[in-house]
Amino acid sequence: MSRYPALPEGLAFGGDYNPEQWPAEVQEEDVRLMREAGVNLVTVGVFAWALLEPREGVYEFGWLDAVLDRLHRAGIAVDLGTPTAAPPPWFSRAYPDAFPVTREGVRVGAGGRQHACSSHPAFRAASARLVERLAERYGDHPAVVMWHVHNEYGAPLGECYCPASTAAWREWLRRRHGSLDALNAAWGTTFWGQTYGEWEEIDAPRWSHTAVNPAQRLDYARFANEEHLGHYRLQRDVLRRTGKPVTTNFAGTVNCKSMDLWRWAPELDVVANDHYLDAEDPANHIRLSMSADLSRSLAGGAPWMLMEHSTGATSWQRRGIAKRPGEMRRNSLAHVARGADAVLFFQWRASRHGAEKWHSAMVPHAGTGSQMWSDVVALGRDVRRLAPVRGARVAAEVAIAWDWEAYWALELEWRPSGDLAFRERVDAFYEALWREHVTTDLVHPSADLSAYKLVVLPSSYLLTEASAKNLQRYVEAGGHLLVSYFSGVVDENDTVHDGPCPGALRELLGLRVEEFHPLREHESVTLTGGASGRIWSERVILERARAELRFADGPDAGHPAYTVNAFGGGTARYLSAGLSAAGLRPLLAGLADLAGVTRPRDLPDTLELVRRGAHVFLINHGPGPVSVPGVSGADLLTGAPFTGEVPGGGVAVVREETF
Ligand code: GAL
């Protein structure tokens, strides 16, 4: 892990470049414009399989040679893609059974992309052959500084239910469980009479008219993740022989539910993430921060690459909402603040054809006389000025637990409430901390937590014994832990931990839960102190813990809602209510103070403040100016001393004198 590509200097700036869509004269102009904008890295060839191998075993590399040579002459480095996310028509015709099949049994059609199954032997073989040729031809090309495998594994194709997948699944189950007895025990197959006597009896957990065994479904999610990873590794191992770093672009760390990125990150030389704003979400800049923080956390704190984001509208949301003035700049610099050493876009030039012609680009349909082009050129200048930030690290004192297995398990069928949602809880805690100007890492609950003063465990329904012990050790050693409702309930096989809930955390929290009381759609409950919660209420029985707040109304009126248990040198708190981000803020601010978390005071919650090495990033998401006392030094973006005030919508990056 963590071999950042050999780029000349400073941060990377550029984007996906698809010269194959354009005539020669436009390609010449592209390179001239890239220089004007300060582009120093482009991703080439991501969807070019049909042009590189127009017939099976027949290769045409001449056009790509010309593109790479031209870029190299202009001093622009290349992140070379392997185009396996778009198998060509000849492949689909020759191997019709490689089309993926959905859980509902629908065979995916051609004409889009991601239309081959990662487990299918013919797809794996064709991918490997092509990648061998690419590595051979371009491994030594001086323009190529890194490899970009496939595109966004898991989006939109997560699980495939084709016959090849089912066969691979049985093999995977043999490896995971060893014996049918072990599998039957893990899956609890005595329930609904599902005991298996032969491996061949086990099917993929296809759609059924009733809930399907949740342990089987969880294993299938793990299996699907491993299959995509297998397809990646196959290519990675070939490409690594060239000595150049290899990555694949994550489909939005916080948005890609189907891939367990904790398992992916160690397989990459550098973490690369794609991020697109949910245009309708008024707090989308906060979700952006969370996506960036998870990217950094996956990279183990090392610099990562923002491989794609947009200059403006996307073409796949219901409304393609253009970014407001200054928004692209704030978005880009927020990623850099949180550890990105690359600011790259999808895409360089807006396409005239195909599905994404209404997706924004660095060179828009409106051309270089547009505001967009001026903004892109200005951003290129900003990015160059941020060169001293390269390689610097962000230190977080607070962590939120993020586990894809917990995410999957919580949202399977037939839970105590269909409103239980992992992202909803993580988002609420994250937003509360963000608005309190606390920078957060996201961690797996089994990871080393010793660097954190405060850890939050948001509705982590699935929690292994090992993770629970890890949390216990963290608190014992003096850490402060906040656990939200419906955590520590089942193990990795969706089996309820022994005894009353939350079995894995009962001792640490010093309480037990006797009954869940999920709320109806429009119901809410009030806590003593006034905060109100949605979704959840439950009957908590104190054992060693003490109640700090109680339910003031609802099914558990008078009973504990927020508790604390002193454990070893630290404290473990439990919150039974679904407080909004606003409701969580005072609780988290109090906890942060108790835990000694350093955070600035008296700043509006529209100002994003992040420290990266010796630099303080100040990003003003509000319309009016904000003064920031106590920060002084040179503003890298202007070259002048920081004035002490960030204009409405503006950004300052201050190199602190007394850091
Ligand atoms: C990404 C994808 C790109 C492009 C982009 C548009 O998910 O990797 O190829 O489609 O979305 O938003």
Side-chain angles (χ1 to χ4, degrees), residues 330-344:
R330 288 194 299 281
N331 290 169
S332 295
L333 302 189
H335 286 290
V336 176
R338 292 172 190 275
D341 270 3
V343 175
L344 307 172

Side-chain angles (χ1 to χ4, degrees), residues 176-382:
R176 179 170 173 85
H177 295 284
S179 72
L180 276 176
D181 285 349
L183 178 142
N184 280 315
W187 287 8
T189 51
T190 47
F191 183 82
W192 281 356
Q194 297 170 353
T195 307
Y196 294 102
E198 304 279 346
W199 292 98
E200 288 64 34
E201 292 165 6
I202 306 173
D203 198 1
R206 297 169 202 290
W207 179 87
S208 179
H209 49 198
T210 187
V212 170
N213 187 326
Q216 185 181 357
R217 292 204 58 193
L218 266 180
D219 264 355
Y220 206 75
R222 293 181 181 115
F223 156 76
N225 183 64
E226 291 304 319
E227 289 298 285
H228 288 301
L229 197 46
H231 183 257
Y232 163 79
R233 276 197 206 106
L234 183 85
Q235 303 192 37
R236 192 259 334 255
D237 292 349
V238 172
L239 297 169
R240 269 198 180 154
R241 288 190 226 132
T242 67
K244 293 180 178 171
V246 185
T247 193
T248 183
N249 51 333
F250 291 155
T253 47
V254 297
N255 296 325
C256 187
K257 183 179 171 187
S258 61
M259 295 292 100
D260 181 348
L261 300 181
W262 293 120
R263 301 186 81 85
W264 283 78
E267 309 270 350
L268 272 48
D269 291 321
V270 56
V271 163
N273 188 39
D274 298 349
H275 179 266
Y276 292 95
L277 293 178
D278 171 354
E280 308 282 345
D281 177 0
N284 59 19
H285 56 291
I286 300 180
R287 313 301 165 229
L288 178 157
S289 301
M290 190 164 104
S291 171
D293 285 346
L294 182 50
S295 303
R296 181 187 66 251
S297 302
L298 286 162
W304 54 278
M305 302 181 76
L306 175 64
M307 188 58 85
E308 292 180 23
H309 73 315
S310 72
T311 57
T314 62
S315 53
W316 44 265
Q317 299 187 46
R318 181 166 162 77
R319 299 178 187 86
I321 297 180
K323 291 189 179 176
R324 301 289 183 256
E327 197 176 358
M328 171 179 74
R329 181 176 190 247
R330 288 194 299 281
N331 290 169
S332 295
L333 302 189
H335 286 290
V336 176
R338 292 172 190 275
D341 270 3
V343 175
L344 307 172
F345 290 93
F346 177 86
Q347 61 177 336
W348 164 250
R349 186 184 278 274
S351 309
R352 289 183 60 206
H353 312 282
E356 299 199 298
K357 59 172 94 52
W358 303 122
H359 195 286
S360 55
M362 299 170 83
V363 183
H365 292 299
T368 51
S370 61
Q371 182 66 46
M372 176 67 82
W373 177 248
S374 314
D375 290 350
V376 164
V377 173
L379 180 64
R381 212 174 301 129
D382 284 336

